[in-house]
């Protein structure tokens, strides 16, 4: 059996670059059919955008802008040309940001990431990403089925019922957050349930520190990481070489100086900017707000596409908690709902092997009722639970930071 998903993964880098940029002008023409792109790219001649230097002259679209843009021109801010009925599914992510699912095979580009993690046609996969409103569950579901796997659409939670499915269907693969994988393994060990069929995993959506990697490996599971977004699907993924992540095919990745669209020097840390060559739903220079750096040379696994070190933090204050983005705009919304509060700061830490949110709120009127009301508002706005800590007025730093990721 081949070690690679297809011949595209091992082609000469110069050949890949030439092929991508030969397709880009047509993708730009399709993007220009959408009114928002027509405005942003006004005066651009698509025929002239055939190199990285030419692409770098186009304006960057920041993901952090999308909630406001989508609200002003629902549902997609004018960045999608086709009618809603031309897409397969329609999702939302916190922000809110709205995402359509293209109808072609493997619309989220995840099959090759699963293949690199050892998944093969005929495998049974337990998919524990959420299928409710957000695209995570369908991203990994569609990717596994495009590879030829059968999928158990488990979603997160309900461990007792998941044990029944695992013992009946004997899945060899797991897809989900690393946090939930540990929860599942711990709960199975405590309950004496057999989940030993799971031998490999593709995890995403949360931090996967070395301590948790070692623990998962000690339980007989070979786990790989993938970096993706609800807009683009799988952007980059680990391979058996375990040296950074390989950028997915059909994407042009740039690494730029945060706050600009200017590419950094090779090896420098910068913000990830992605142009996708999906003709139904192209993205042109979408700045994700995530930091990384390129690694030199090709991967020892034989894949020749650009390699990155992986996720190295946020270029803005938006962060990811338990697989869900939390944005400064959401903290501002909490403040609007509770005008009696002063400054707010959401502190994100780790407790054991799980993400933990604590909302620190300045107030002169401390009390259990206010604390409870704030906790309910935090969950309603972010769709995530967290602690609330009421602090004295004027005690939080006056530095403009509303989200502090201390993981």
């Amino acid at each position: 059996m081949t070690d690679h998903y297809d011949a595209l993964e091992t082609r000469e880098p110069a050949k890949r670059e030439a092929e991508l940029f030969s397709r880009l002008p047509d993708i730009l023409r399709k993007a220009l059919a959408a009114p928002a792109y027509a405005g942003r790219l006004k005066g651009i001649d698509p025929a002239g955008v055939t190199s990285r230097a030419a692409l770098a002259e186009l304006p960057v679209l920041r993901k952090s802008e999308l909630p406001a843009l989508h609200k002003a021109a629902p549902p997609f801010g004018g960045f999608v040309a086709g009618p809603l009925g031309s897409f397969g599914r329609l999702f939302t992510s916190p922000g809110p940001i709205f995402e359509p699912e293209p109808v072609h095979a493997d619309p989220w580009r995840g099959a090759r990431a699963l293949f690199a993690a050892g998944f093969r046609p005929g495998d049974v996969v337990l998919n524990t990403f959420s299928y409710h409103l957000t695209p995570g569950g369908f991203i990994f579901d569609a990717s596994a089925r495009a590879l030829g796997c059968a999928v158990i659409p488990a979603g997160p939670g309900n461990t007792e019922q998941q044990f029944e499915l695992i013992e009946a269907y004997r899945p060899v693969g797991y897809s989900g957050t690393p946090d939930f994988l540990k929860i599942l393994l711990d709960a199975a060990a405590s309950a004496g349930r057999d989940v030993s069929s799971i031998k490999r995993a593709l995890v995403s959506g949360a931090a996967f520190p070395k301590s948790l990697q070692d623990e998962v490996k000690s339980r007989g599971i070979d786990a790989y990481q993938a970096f993706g977004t609800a807009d683009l699907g799988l952007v980059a993924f680990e391979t058996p070489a375990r040296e950074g992540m390989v950028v997915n095919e059909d994407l042009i990745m740039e690494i730029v100086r945060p706050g600009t669209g200017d590419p950094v020097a090779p090896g420098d840390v910068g913000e990830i900017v992605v142009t996708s060559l999906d003709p139904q739903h192209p993205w042109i220079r979408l700045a994700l707000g995530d930091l990384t750096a390129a690694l030199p040379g090709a991967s020892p696994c034989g894949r020749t596409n650009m390699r990155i070190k992986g996720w190295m933090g946020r270029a803005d204050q938006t962060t990811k908690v338990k697989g869900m983005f939390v944005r400064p705009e959401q903290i501002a919304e909490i403040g609007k709902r509770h005008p009696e509060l002063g400054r707010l700061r959401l502190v994100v830490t780790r407790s054991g092997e799980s993400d933990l949110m604590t909302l620190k709120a300045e107030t002169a009127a401390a009390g259990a009722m206010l604390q409870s009301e704030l906790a309910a508002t935090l969950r309603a706005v972010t769709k995530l639970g967290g602690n609330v800590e009421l602090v004295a007025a004027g005690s939080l730093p006056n530095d403009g930071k509303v989200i502090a990721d201390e993981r």
Side-chain angles (χ1 to χ4, degrees), residues 65-77 96 98 333 336:
E65 299 177 71
L66 294 181
L69 292 169
H70 285 191
K71 184 176 182 180
F76 304 126
F98 299 99
E333 175 62 25
K336 289 178 183 177

Side-chain angles (χ1 to χ4, degrees), residues 236-362:
F237 50 89
E238 271 192 307
T239 76
R242 302 286 188 177
E243 291 188 10
M245 293 185 177
V246 173
V247 175
N248 213 337
E249 301 292 332
D250 289 329
L251 299 175
I252 299 172
M253 180 184 287
E254 304 168 89
I255 301 176
V256 307
R257 191 167 69 251
T260 78
D262 304 329
V264 301
D268 284 359
V269 176
E271 182 177 7
I272 298 172
V273 172
V274 177
T275 296
S276 72
L277 302 186
D278 187 325
Q280 189 178 10
H281 183 31
W283 286 104
I284 308 301
R285 301 202 82 200
L286 180 65
L288 301 182
D290 293 297
L291 297 174
T292 196
L295 292 170
S299 172
C301 71
R303 292 171 178 84
T304 57
N305 207 353
M306 176 183 182
R307 291 186 302 154
I308 58 175
K309 288 186 177 180
W311 186 80
M312 298 176 67
R314 294 291 297 171
D316 60 21
Q317 292 180 40
T318 300
T319 193
K320 190 179 282 186
V321 181
K322 296 181 179 178
M324 303 282 279
F325 279 111
V326 181
R327 305 176 186 282
E329 296 89 341
Q330 293 173 297
I331 309 306
E333 175 62 25
I334 294 171
K336 289 178 183 177
R337 297 188 187 188
H338 296 273
E340 71 275 19
L341 300 176
R343 295 192 186 98
L344 300 175
R345 176 177 295 219
L346 187 74
V347 179
V348 184
T349 57
R350 296 280 291 180
S351 177
E353 297 295 353
S354 296
D355 294 335
L356 178 67
M357 296 195 313
T358 301
L359 180 66
K360 296 187 177 184
E362 291 184 352

Side-chain angles (χ1 to χ4, degrees), residues 344-399:
L344 300 175
R345 176 177 295 219
L346 187 74
V347 179
V348 184
T349 57
R350 296 280 291 180
S351 177
E353 297 295 353
S354 296
D355 294 335
L356 178 67
M357 296 195 313
T358 301
L359 180 66
K360 296 187 177 184
E362 291 184 352
T363 179
M369 182 174 293
L370 176 58
Q371 197 167 17
S372 176
E373 290 172 352
L374 264 179
T377 303
L378 177 64
R379 178 177 289 278
V381 173
T382 67
K383 306 299 187 288
L384 294 164
N387 300 326
V388 171
E389 182 180 338
L390 302 178
V391 301
S395 62
L396 293 178
N398 184 21
D399 58 5

Side-chain angles (χ1 to χ4, degrees), residues 157-208:
N158 301 314
T159 54
E160 188 65 30
Q161 189 172 10
Q162 295 214 22
F163 296 150
E164 295 178 4
L165 290 165
I166 293 168
E167 290 173 345
Y169 289 122
R170 308 303 293 162
V172 71
Y174 166 95
S175 56
T177 66
D179 292 357
F180 188 70
L181 178 56
K182 176 176 167 54
I183 289 170
L184 198 66
L185 295 175
D186 287 347
S190 297
R193 305 301 292 263
D194 181 11
V195 297
S196 62
S197 64
I198 300 175
K199 298 299 184 185
R200 44 189 170 268
L202 184 64
V203 300
S204 190
F208 193 32

Side-chain angles (χ1 to χ4, degrees), residues 54-66:
L55 179 61
E57 294 296 320
L58 303 186
V60 162
L61 171 61
R62 301 202 172 279
K63 181 164 179 171
S64 58
E65 299 177 71
L66 294 181

